[in-house]
Amino acid sequence: MQTELSKELGVEHAIFGFTPFPAVAAAISRAGGFGVLGAVRYTAPTDLERDLNWIEANVGGVPYGLDVVMPAQKVEGVSEADVEAMIPEGHRQFVRDTLAKYGVPELDEGEASGWRITGWMEQVARGQLDVAFGYPIKLLANALGSPPADVVRRAHEKGVLVAALAGSARHARKHAEAGIDIVVAQGYEAGGHTGEIASMVLTPEVVDAVGPLPVLAAGGIGSGQQVAAALSLGAQGVWLGSVWLTVTEADMHSPAVTRKLLAAGSGDTVRSRALTGKPARQLRTEWTDAWDDPAGPGTLPMPLQGLLVADAVSRIQKYEVEPLLGTPVGQIVGRMTSERSVQEVFDDLTRGFERAVDRINRIAGRGEQA
């Protein structure tokens, strides 16, 4: 499964795997793909440095990358405390009432929230980059689109390719104008923040909009047949995230979440603003239902919503309150029915890809050459 892009990056398969788990990122790269570590949860540069050191020691010298979340436009002089002060008391009370309804215990005295998305803040993301550029990363991806121009320049000066996610051809063209090297066309089916256009429509639209820039297809992909379909649509690779959540190398810290993922069907996700304030596909739970209920206060814009629910999500996760317990995941969750190693996932992807290519060759009357 090689393309011009995978050859440029020196990887065997044009499979890019996004994951918050260092062990999974390293295993993806060792299996012949390109592991990309998500940095949004690293609020302390020392924690990111620790995990990048671990990847360096365990990746076997093959390439990997980093994914950050930072806005294209800089906001001066705004601290996390300033932002938290903007959260209405009514929304705080709604969180308290919802947790009380389900009997969710408090965190222990002095225990800090373990789930706090502050990586969206410019100073946090830049601190992550200060660390990351000290390592031989080959790709910097930004989940919020094109990073600031100086970040793109800095990456290029270090020989690092820059990728940006796009949910429409219009977004993709803006990325191309900003000097991005790779566009990730993320379809409606994808887990996490995603737009409203399905992958089958979005991928060729983006390919046509930004050619000859390479495009990675994302959203709803979890089989070799789908990889073959993405490449036939003009993509130079695929960007997979959800499928790694149930691999044996993943450190989910919650057997209950894993059980829910393995039991979920493709219709058991919802695009909800409950987690961050932007539409993000995740498991549908009574927590998402509460926030999406018209009778409730409604969600706040990003980043207020993420800060508002940080402690609540930590409590739900710590005590595994199953009715409220969820995680970002795409519609491909319906195929995630067993725990497998990263290598087993790759074996399945490559076998499925070969079968799909053989099938197309037969349809095209090239069976003998296949």
Side-chain angles (χ1 to χ4, degrees):
M1 289 187 282
Q2 280 203 333
T3 64
E4 291 181 12
L5 178 61
S6 65
K7 292 176 182 177
E8 178 182 355
L9 287 167
V11 297
E12 182 180 359
H13 302 301
I15 295 174
F16 295 72
F18 163 81
T19 174
F21 308 118
V24 177
I28 290 169
S29 289
R30 290 198 307 269
F34 191 99
V36 181
L37 178 66
V40 71
R41 296 178 188 270
Y42 291 95
T43 56
T46 52
D47 291 340
L48 179 59
E49 184 176 10
R50 175 201 64 213
D51 284 352
L52 288 176
N53 282 333
W54 187 94
I55 289 177
E56 273 293 298
N58 290 274
V59 79
V62 291
Y64 62 94
L66 190 78
D67 179 277
V68 297
V69 178
M70 64 188 309
Q73 295 183 349
K74 189 172 184 176
V75 179
E76 300 282 359
V78 178
S79 68
E80 183 178 336
D82 294 332
V83 176
E84 288 227 44
M86 303 176 189
I87 298 173
E89 176 58 29
H91 282 73
R92 295 186 186 277
Q93 186 62 48
F94 180 76
V95 170
R96 290 192 289 267
D97 291 345
T98 303
L99 295 178
K101 177 182 176 181
Y102 291 90
V104 183
E106 297 276 356
L107 296 175
D108 295 334
E109 186 175 352
E111 182 178 1
S113 167
W115 189 96
R116 197 164 187 81
I117 294 181
T118 55
W120 56 266
M121 297 187 73
E122 173 113 6
Q123 63 268 33
V124 176
R126 287 185 179 274
Q128 294 166 351
L129 294 178
D130 289 339
V131 170
F133 284 139
Y135 292 81
I137 62 171
K138 299 299 183 184
L139 176 70
L140 172 66
N142 187 28
L144 286 184
S146 303
D150 68 295
V151 172
V152 176
R153 288 194 299 272
R154 186 179 178 190
H156 287 165
E157 288 169 358
K158 293 184 173 293
V160 177
L161 296 181
V162 180
L165 275 64
S168 70
R170 178 174 60 85
H171 292 155
R173 281 189 287 268
K174 288 185 177 180
H175 296 341
E177 293 167 0
I180 299 302
D181 304 293
I182 303 167
V183 176
V184 181
Q186 181 163 305
Y188 172 80
E189 307 96 325
H193 295 130
T194 187
E196 299 181 346
I197 304 174
S199 298
M200 183 63 74
V201 174
L202 180 65
T203 301
E205 284 189 350
V206 172
V207 168
D208 291 343
V210 302
L213 279 185
V215 172
L216 300 178
I221 302 173
S223 72
Q225 295 92 322
Q226 291 169 309
V227 175
L231 299 188
S232 72
L233 293 173
Q236 287 204 30
V238 293
W239 178 274
L240 308 184
S242 296
V243 294
W244 315 114
L245 292 174
T246 53
V247 296
T248 53
E249 294 91 341
D251 188 10
M252 288 295 290
H253 297 296
S254 173
V257 169
T258 300
R259 287 196 303 271
K260 293 184 79 169
L261 287 170
L262 296 175
S266 57
D268 293 328
T269 68
V270 62
R271 281 176 78 244
S272 172
R273 299 177 185 269
L275 195 61
T276 67
K278 290 176 68 70
R281 186 170 297 285
Q282 55 203 281
L283 283 178
R284 182 175 181 176
T285 66
E286 293 184 32
W287 177 256
T288 63
D289 286 348
W291 283 104
D292 295 338
D293 188 339
T299 55
L300 297 171
M302 189 180 193
L304 300 181
Q305 182 71 16
L307 293 173
L308 168 66
V309 304
D311 288 343
V313 172
S314 287
R315 290 165 60 184
I316 292 166
Q317 291 178 345
K318 176 180 179 178
Y319 299 108
E320 296 198 311
V321 184
E322 293 210 25
L324 305 179
L325 190 62
T327 186
V329 69
Q331 291 180 331
I332 197 63
V333 69
R335 293 184 64 97
M336 296 156 50
T337 57
S338 64
E339 293 186 75
R340 301 176 292 168
S341 69
V342 167
Q343 185 60 62
E344 287 174 319
V345 172
F346 265 84
D347 290 343
D348 183 60
L349 289 170
T350 54
R351 285 193 297 265
F353 179 82
E354 291 170 356
R355 288 194 299 269
V357 171
D358 287 344
R359 185 182 306 118
I360 294 301
N361 279 330
R362 289 195 301 272
I363 292 172
R366 294 194 293 268
E368 293 183 1
Q369 292 94 323

